[in-house]
Amino acid sequence: MSLSKLEYIWLDGYKPTQSLRSKTKIVKDFSGKLEDLEQWSFDGSSTEQAPGGSSDCLLKPVYVVKDPQRKNGYLVMCEVLSADGSAHESNGRATIEDDDNDFWFGFEQEYFLWNPETNKPLGFPAGGYPGPQGPYYCSVGASNAYGREIVEEHLDACLEAGINVEGINAEVATGQWEFQIFSKGAKQAGDQIWVARYLLERIGEKYGVAINWHCKPLGALDWNGSGMHANFSNGLLRTAGSKATFDAVCEAFRPVVKEHIAVYGADNELRLTGKHETASIHDFSYGVSDRGASIRIPVLVPAKGWSGYLEDRRPNSAADPYKVAARIIKTVKSAKV
Ligand code: ADP
Ligand code: MN
Ligand code: MN
Ligand code: MN
């Protein structure tokens, strides 16, 4: 007999930004397979997901990987259901309409490594400011790159768990980094982002470093904010072979700016200013290779005869990838092609 430690992970009901929660279940002789996992319950009154009088919510396992950091451990991403078994209103994953995995998503998750004592990013000297941004992006060396130990440990943990990380890089501000995760299937892309976020939070604990997911943690100062660019495609875009198809899909986004911004992360007006490689939150634009546009058409798309993917640059670092994907899919499906 062997005993496994199953970490059931879910998203709480806090608004406007949901946080990760988790608890451990000890299970005998677990096969490692999703279909052998049982539902579990938790106290929804402690997570803003249920009233105290009828507090039980259900955890439905949807994605499981080996826990790279715990002996006999597994990480179990879950959807939250109400006690009657229906999807809870906080459950963005259940709103994704992509059952045939036609949609592929690549998210570029940016974040800050944060010193909880000074309440500043790693690399900020106590009581002052580092030199202006410029040398930090993709940097090497102790005067420009901060927290690499954590970033490397996180990359190894993700790869060991089987998460499809495609790359990492140091970002424009000090202590700011990015990882990219790609998956064929919108739900799976969201699952992997959330488990990768979970691993980063937990590794940070060990170093006494917090992860700051806010999209503009340095406020109005002249420092970049954090995004979570959503790169997406479906069969239509991957095989389009015509500029008209790309134009039609991009135009479908124009009348629904508000609906998209509503799920692209809290406080995004602080980040989408038209500066720092962003478009204004009030505008909609798209263009080939344009990093000041709402949606960028990668330069490879026309180069490959107008087939490939699009990058929505507006989602921010704290957005829920499930809700972002659900909204993008809805809009792409509405395109008049
Ligand atoms: P940049 O920083 O130049 O915007 P990155 O290399 O950081 O670009 O990220 C590009 C993302 O696009 C990656 O996550 C990659 O997986 C994703 N991607 C590439 N091809 C596709 C595709 N066909 N459909 C969806 N996403 C894609
Ligand atoms: Mn990138
Ligand atoms: Mn980036
Ligand atoms: Mn990008």
Side-chain angles (χ1 to χ4, degrees), residues 85-119:
S86 62
H88 191 271
E89 62 131 344
S90 64
N91 181 348
R93 190 180 191 277
T95 67
I96 295 175
E97 290 171 21
D98 177 39
D99 290 339
D100 55 358
N101 293 343
D102 180 36
F103 278 84
W104 300 357
F105 275 86
F107 290 108
E108 301 168 56
Q109 174 75 63
E110 295 178 341
Y111 61 93
F112 279 82
L113 295 177
W114 203 258
N115 181 333
E117 272 147 37
T118 62
N119 200 26

Side-chain angles (χ1 to χ4, degrees), residues 16-17 214-216 261-270 316 318-319:
T17 305
H214 192 270
C215 69
K216 203 72 185 175
I261 294 299
V263 293
Y264 279 4
D267 300 332
N268 223 356
E269 68 284 355
L270 303 176
N316 78 33

Side-chain angles (χ1 to χ4, degrees), residues 130-285:
Q133 53 185 40
Y136 310 114
Y137 172 74
C138 294
S139 62
V140 63
S143 22
N144 288 325
Y146 300 94
R148 192 184 298 278
E149 230 183 339
I150 298 171
V151 173
E152 288 293 328
E153 193 170 327
H154 177 246
L155 176 60
D156 280 339
C158 287
L159 293 176
E160 212 175 309
I163 291 172
N164 192 38
V165 180
E166 292 207 320
I168 59 170
N169 60 273
E171 267 301 338
V172 172
T174 65
Q176 190 188 26
W177 296 82
E178 169 178 316
F179 58 84
Q180 302 104 35
I181 285 177
F182 172 81
S183 184
K184 296 180 178 180
K187 289 182 180 176
Q188 293 83 340
D191 296 338
Q192 294 188 31
I193 284 285
W194 276 116
V195 174
R197 286 180 179 180
Y198 177 88
L199 284 167
L200 186 55
E201 291 276 9
R202 206 175 57 183
I203 291 164
E205 286 175 15
K206 217 168 74 181
Y207 292 87
V209 170
I211 314 303
N212 194 325
W213 305 102
H214 192 270
C215 69
K216 203 72 185 175
L218 293 166
L221 300 172
D222 202 13
W223 292 89
N224 272 32
S226 296
M228 186 180 63
H229 297 165
N231 300 274
F232 61 92
S233 63
N234 63 350
L236 173 74
L237 290 170
R238 289 191 292 273
T239 60
S242 96
K243 178 175 182 297
T245 301
F246 274 77
D247 285 340
V249 170
C250 288
E251 284 300 337
F253 284 73
R254 191 182 297 280
V256 284
V257 168
K258 278 210 177 80
E259 290 82 348
H260 280 259
I261 294 299
V263 293
Y264 279 4
D267 300 332
N268 223 356
E269 68 284 355
L270 303 176
R271 165 178 166 264
L272 297 180
T273 57
K275 289 197 284 184
H276 302 114
E277 298 175 48
T278 68
S280 159
I281 196 166
H282 305 294
D283 299 338
F284 178 77
S285 58

